[in-house]
Amino acid sequence: MEQRAGKALLKASGLTKRFGDILANDSVDLTINEGEIHALLGENGAGKSTLVKMFYGSLEADAGSIEWSGEPVSIGNPAMARQLGIGMVFQHFSLFEALTVVENIALALPKPGNMSALSARIKEVSEDYGLPLDPADIVADLPVGIRQRIEIVRCLLQEPKLIIMDEPTSVLTPQEADRLFVTLKRLASEGCAVLYISHRLEEVKQICHHATILRHGKVVAECDPTKETAKSLAQLMVGSAVHLVNRSTSATKTGDVRLELIGLESPAQTPFGTSLQAIDLDVFAGEVVAIAGVAGNGQGELFDVISGEVRVKSDMLMIDGESAGRLNINERRQRNCAFVPEERLGHGAVPGMKLSKNIILTRHTTGEGIVQAGFVSDRRAAELEKKVQSEFDVRMSQPDPDAKSLSGGNLQKFVVGRELDRQPGVLVVNQPTWGVDAGAAALIRQGLIELAHSGSAVLVISQDLDEIFEIADRIAVISRGQLSDAEPVEEMTREKVGLLMAGGAEKHAPMTEGAA
Amino acid sequence: MFEAILLTVITAATPLLIAAIGELVVERSGVLNLGVEGMMIMGAVVGFGVAHHTGSGFLAVIAAILAGMLMSALFGVFVVYLATNQVATGLALTILGLGVSGMIGESFIGIPGMRLPELYIPGLTELPFIGPVLFSHDGVVYAGFALVFLTSYVLFRTRMGLILRAVGDNHTSAHALGYSVLKIRFLAVLFGGACAGLAGGYMSLAYTPQWVENMIAGRGWIALALVVFASWLPWRVVAGAYLFGAVTVLTFHAQAIGVTIPSQFLSSLPYLATVVVLVIISSNRRLTLVNTPACLGKTFIPDR
């Protein structure tokens, strides 16, 4: 497909945005035509979000101009963007959990009119586009896939000429994603333009007419994605040949069970949290087991239970054959376990503390000489910090900086490296490469695989199917707090994982909300 | 006797009701103002002072409202625009209010106050029983009920209320949609201050028409607790306030007729009864969770 010959709808010239010392967007030119699905590609931190925020009026450009249908415009705030006909579906949803579907939509419309008329319109439009919604539902009760529908329908009701979608499929099962593509193609055929932000190259090839590739805030290439291969697109994004993870052979026969969950149950800890129900899982020495699932299906809760932040009955969790459900996190660490939570800044590391102090925080009880006769050895902590830094290529502007001064990818390398460096017998990681560039992700994944090969049990919780298929020996899927049996990666396909993500293996009736 | 009891119940419940409704709106917008006690006492002392100097109940009530608003504006500037810690700033506001009111009110101690006049409603006030109980109060009692009705209507039936609830539920999203989180919160804080000022003024102009230092005596804190136990729903605040008022008055009468229960127990009874009943009402966990403003107490700093 050629770039659609339609009229230029949005034309950005020389857009520049600076945050402190960082040039997030450096003189970006971009043209979106009517009825075109235009992909915006780039690694995390390439400046995609910054660019679309300027289109949507939530950021102001330092320099450059935007033309809309040939007229120069200045988009001062999101309300103005919506007035022009620009709608946006956010990556992290912008919905209000305590409000109903119709209230959420009314908030985004300049003149919502009366609620019952609006409800009727929502029903009509949502069914028309194959995205059925019940306007009276409270958002907190709805799964992520439906929440995205609300955002899309909210855009559609504004009769937009351009819809910006930020990583829309990152929260969908493969089947839900296919349904979304049908809707997008229909919108394009009706003349609506779509700016599609993604780093999933296969889907960009599948649905986009044109692609603009950003790297370090600059446009480095424009192309027709259908004529490129996923590999060539990846090279354009990263700027060099992509380093692939070396799996050697899939782990040979596995050793003893090192981590065991037996009928594990745990009630929801927070208002809209998930209860874990009858979870069984064995992780053997020498293998990587991955847990796939759509966000918010109990991944965080499961991690908290395994790490000891939330305790369960003693026999529900065994470490190296011993009951460990009542042990606290440090007692588990002393049994040679290590944990890396999802949120690296604030949970995995204390933002305002130096990296060496952050090392002390997770490793002071593990008998590595950090605490000697009750006193903290700063010298030993600094040694370990340097070791992690060099082994995992953590880049920093000054020696031993505060955790918050590191970029996301570097901090992630640090928090994962800090635990890998201990050579733990059991490692549990939640979202090991979330928001990390391809180079750092490959390094982290390689580290996880090598740890498993050295005889440790590695459990990875991830929402990135590419990552899971790249590193896992066995895959289990979590859905509404229930876990499917872990099956060897050779016997799993994306379609099968997708069905499991949508609840295909749920053995128990879901717990009714609030019953706990 | 029964009439008299009912009358005192209404008088005891009104200040709690008004202060709590104001705080409910503030909390629905996502701000926790622990300075209710401080704003009430300022309303009380300023209301008393103005009544004493001008002799006008109306001016006194207006002055009490303005005093509460002024206090809340101070709080709002710090918490909303300078993004200070809400708990610490709220506590400081209470301490400030208690101190400043003591200073302003020093010369008022021992002066007899004026009581707000009761409204006379032709045709209704003469009715037997119903007349004296329902239709012979000062204007603030009726204003309190109007306030509950209006708040409930605005919060759940109008766009303004929807936006307010949205800001309290998710300030990041509200900002992304283009709503001015800070402005909305500041206005809510001012409304809360106006209500607290009015409630405080009622204390020194109707409940006990005189000035005594620290005369709010913890009612600001009760109002705060009522909001939580009422699951942020206006009509439940009414139930809580009246229950508290009723038990308070009953304990007085119980002491008067010589019930031999230790007075300490009797004076703690209103608190216990209110807590127990409201805990039972709010036991519908799901409803409570949906109504709890998710951003309550969280500071918002817009990215532009």
Side-chain angles (χ1 to χ4, degrees):
Chain A
M1 281 177 269
E2 290 293 305
Q3 176 156 23
R4 292 258 166 131
K7 275 198 344 222
L9 180 68
L10 181 134
K11 187 173 177 202
S13 329
L15 279 188
T16 299
K17 180 73 193 177
R18 181 184 284 278
F19 293 111
D21 294 341
I22 300 157
L23 204 53
N25 276 175
D26 184 359
S27 189
V28 172
D29 298 326
L30 180 88
T31 304
I32 304 168
N33 292 337
E34 285 171 5
E36 171 183 79
I37 304 183
H38 191 122
L40 185 59
L41 291 173
E43 290 201 276
N44 288 294
K48 293 170 296 185
S49 300
T50 306
L51 182 63
V52 299
K53 277 184 182 163
M54 292 192 282
F55 293 159
Y56 194 59
S58 32
L59 279 179
E60 207 168 353
D62 295 333
S65 63
I66 299 174
E67 275 179 31
W68 179 256
S69 304
E71 302 280 322
V73 286
S74 125
I75 305 171
N77 57 51
M80 280 171 73
R82 288 196 296 269
Q83 224 166 7
L84 288 174
I86 303 175
M88 177 144 178
V89 175
F90 293 89
Q91 177 184 16
H92 302 289
F93 296 142
S94 63
L95 297 174
F96 303 93
E97 298 224 338
L99 305 183
T100 62
V101 173
V102 58
E103 285 175 329
N104 265 282
I105 292 178
L107 279 166
L109 300 178
K111 289 197 183 66
N114 108 12
M115 285 290 190
S116 54
L118 182 61
S119 296
R121 256 187 81 208
I122 290 168
K123 260 196 129 71
E124 186 192 310
V125 172
S126 66
E127 275 161 24
D128 185 27
Y129 279 90
L131 309 162
L133 285 176
D134 184 344
D137 282 342
I138 288 177
V139 171
D141 297 334
L142 300 174
V144 227
I146 309 272
R147 292 186 191 197
Q148 189 182 54
R149 277 187 205 174
I150 304 174
E151 293 239 346
I152 297 172
V153 170
R154 180 160 86 175
C155 276
L156 292 177
L157 284 175
Q158 299 165 40
E159 287 159 12
K161 299 190 182 84
L162 169 66
I163 293 186
I164 303 171
M165 302 198 103
D166 194 357
E167 306 259 355
T169 54
S170 60
V171 295
L172 301 181
T173 66
Q175 286 83 355
E176 283 174 318
D178 286 339
R179 221 170 303 145
L180 173 70
F181 297 156
V182 173
T183 308
L184 291 184
K185 283 179 179 161
R186 171 166 166 202
L187 280 167
S189 71
E190 290 171 355
C192 179
V194 178
L195 183 60
Y196 191 90
I197 304 170
S198 183
H199 59 231
R200 297 194 179 177
L201 305 168
E202 285 301 334
E203 58 186 48
V204 166
K205 274 170 62 61
Q206 193 186 337
I207 63 163
C208 296
H209 305 120
H210 193 80
T212 298
I213 296 155
L214 283 183
R215 188 164 71 227
H216 302 310
K218 287 190 189 134
V219 175
V220 291
E222 286 199 50
C223 63
D224 178 350
T226 52
K227 291 186 182 144
E228 301 284 332
T229 62
K231 200 172 168 210
S232 63
L233 286 172
Q235 280 191 8
L236 288 171
M237 269 168 57
V238 183
S240 59
V242 183
H243 171 79
L244 287 175
V245 171
N246 174 11
R247 248 283 286 274
S248 53
T249 50
S250 141
T252 46
K253 192 49 213 155
T254 46
D256 298 332
V257 183
R258 302 207 69 166
L259 174 69
E260 210 174 342
L261 309 180
I262 306 160
L264 183 141
E265 314 249 345
S266 172
Q269 303 290 319
T270 54
F272 304 121
T274 309
S275 313
L276 300 175
Q277 284 176 276
I279 288 183
D280 293 304
L281 180 70
D282 297 331
V283 187
F284 292 89
E287 69 169 351
V288 177
V289 172
I291 296 180
V294 175
N297 271 284
Q299 287 95 330
E301 286 83 353
L302 183 61
F303 178 87
D304 289 348
V305 163
I306 299 177
S307 70
E309 286 179 49
V310 172
R311 291 183 223 182
V312 289
K313 285 200 193 114
S314 188
D315 291 339
M316 287 180 176
L317 189 136
M318 315 279 272
I319 294 169
D320 286 329
E322 284 177 42
S323 306
R326 303 296 312 162
L327 300 182
N328 68 29
I329 185 160
N330 276 324
E331 289 164 342
R332 294 182 199 200
R333 284 183 181 135
Q334 283 158 7
R335 282 163 179 70
N336 208 10
C337 296
F339 312 100
V340 183
E342 175 176 5
E343 178 66 42
R344 54 186 158 248
L345 202 58
H347 195 174
V350 179
M353 276 194 185
K354 290 178 190 305
L355 294 185
S356 60
K357 304 285 182 203
N358 272 298
I359 295 237
I360 298 173
L361 290 177
T362 67
R363 290 171 66 171
H364 66 101
T365 58
T366 51
E368 298 172 279
I370 290 178
V371 177
Q372 288 162 356
F375 289 93
V376 169
S377 163
D378 284 329
R379 201 177 46 80
R380 176 79 179 125
E383 263 171 39
L384 290 172
E385 186 264 332
K386 287 208 184 68
K387 190 161 157 241
V388 171
Q389 183 202 339
S390 63
E391 273 174 38
F392 294 90
D393 186 30
V394 181
R395 293 177 205 164
M396 41 186 85
S397 49
Q398 64 189 80
D400 203 8
D402 286 349
K404 67 178 173 222
S405 71
L406 260 56
S407 73
N410 277 310
L411 184 58
Q412 187 70 21
K413 284 192 274 187
F414 171 77
V415 293
V416 175
R418 174 177 63 182
E419 307 307 324
L420 282 175
D421 175 59
R422 262 180 65 199
Q423 291 287 316
V426 175
L427 176 68
V428 184
V429 196
N430 193 359
Q431 297 275 62
T433 60
W434 179 79
V436 167
D437 63 71
L443 191 81
I444 290 170
R445 289 172 192 161
Q446 191 67 54
L448 296 175
I449 289 174
E450 276 163 18
L451 180 70
H453 284 182
S454 74
S456 303
V458 177
L459 180 64
V460 174
I461 302 172
S462 177
Q463 288 156 35
D464 183 343
L465 278 186
D466 294 333
E467 166 169 277
I468 286 177
F469 278 98
E470 197 174 324
I471 64 173
D473 298 303
R474 288 190 300 144
I475 300 175
V477 178
I478 193 165
S479 165
R480 289 197 281 180
Q482 301 183 25
L483 193 70
S484 73
D485 295 331
E487 310 233 19
V489 65
E490 297 80 18
E491 292 166 27
M492 283 297 225
T493 59
R494 278 166 185 273
E495 287 64 39
K496 194 165 163 192
V497 172
L499 291 174
L500 292 171
M501 279 168 146
E506 289 175 17
K507 298 159 225 166
H508 316 275
M511 287 240 224
T512 44
E513 296 282 342
Chain B
M1 164 81 176
F2 188 56
E3 272 175 26
I5 292 179
L6 277 180
L7 280 173
T8 40
V9 168
I10 293 176
T11 329
T14 297
L16 291 174
L17 175 67
I18 294 174
I21 279 290
E23 179 66 12
L24 183 145
V25 170
V26 177
E27 293 190 12
R28 278 278 184 178
S29 82
V31 178
L32 179 67
N33 185 352
L34 293 182
V36 179
E37 181 88 2
M39 299 187 293
M40 283 178 78
I41 194 83
M42 286 299 284
V45 73
V46 170
F48 183 89
V50 170
H52 177 65
H53 285 291
T54 66
S56 157
F58 180 73
L59 283 182
V61 166
I62 297 295
I65 292 174
L66 289 178
M69 280 175 93
L70 191 70
M71 290 290 279
S72 67
L74 184 68
F75 173 82
V77 166
F78 274 98
V79 155
V80 176
Y81 290 106
L82 302 177
T84 59
N85 180 295
Q86 299 186 2
V87 171
T89 315
L91 290 174
L93 191 72
T94 287
I95 296 168
L96 176 74
L98 292 174
V100 172
S101 66
M103 195 176 72
I104 298 176
E106 217 180 344
S107 60
F108 301 155
I109 296 175
I111 299 176
M114 67 165 286
R115 191 184 281 273
L116 288 178
E118 284 152 13
L119 296 188
Y120 177 81
I121 307 166
L124 292 176
T125 306
E126 293 99 342
L127 291 174
F129 186 69
I130 298 175
V133 172
L134 293 182
F135 300 108
S136 57
H137 295 285
D138 51 77
V140 179
V141 170
Y142 304 111
F145 275 96
L147 209 55
V148 175
F149 180 81
L150 271 177
T151 303
S152 183
Y153 182 82
V154 170
L155 268 183
F156 299 106
R157 292 274 174 272
T158 68
R159 185 161 176 82
M160 193 165 95
L162 179 58
I163 293 169
L164 184 90
R165 284 185 291 139
V167 167
D169 186 51
N170 186 341
H171 48 216
T172 322
S173 297
H175 177 72
L177 283 175
Y179 293 108
S180 169
V181 173
L182 301 188
K183 197 175 93 194
I184 292 162
R185 287 200 168 154
F186 189 72
L187 291 175
V189 165
L190 283 186
F191 177 79
C195 289
L198 176 62
Y202 189 80
M203 290 295 297
S204 65
L205 295 169
Y207 189 74
T208 48
Q210 55 178 323
W211 167 252
V212 181
E213 206 171 321
N214 195 15
M215 68 182 294
I216 303 300
R219 284 181 179 77
W221 298 107
I222 307 274
L224 272 162
L226 280 179
V227 176
V228 178
F229 287 122
S231 331
W232 292 269
L233 293 172
W235 289 103
R236 288 190 178 182
V237 166
V238 179
Y242 271 80
L243 182 77
F244 186 87
V247 181
T248 310
V249 170
L250 285 178
T251 55
F252 288 147
H253 287 277
Q255 275 170 322
I257 55 176
V259 175
T260 54
I261 298 173
S263 67
Q264 290 86 348
F265 179 76
L266 281 177
S267 27
S268 65
L269 206 58
Y271 302 87
L272 288 174
T274 312
V275 168
V276 168
V277 170
L278 289 172
V279 162
I280 294 168
I281 302 182
S282 61
S283 64
N284 183 340
R285 187 161 153 270
R286 173 106 198 101
L287 191 64
T288 311
L289 293 176
V290 166
N291 281 310
T292 308
C295 284
L296 184 58
K298 291 186 193 156
T299 301
F300 180 68
I301 304 169
D303 51 12
R304 61 170 276 187

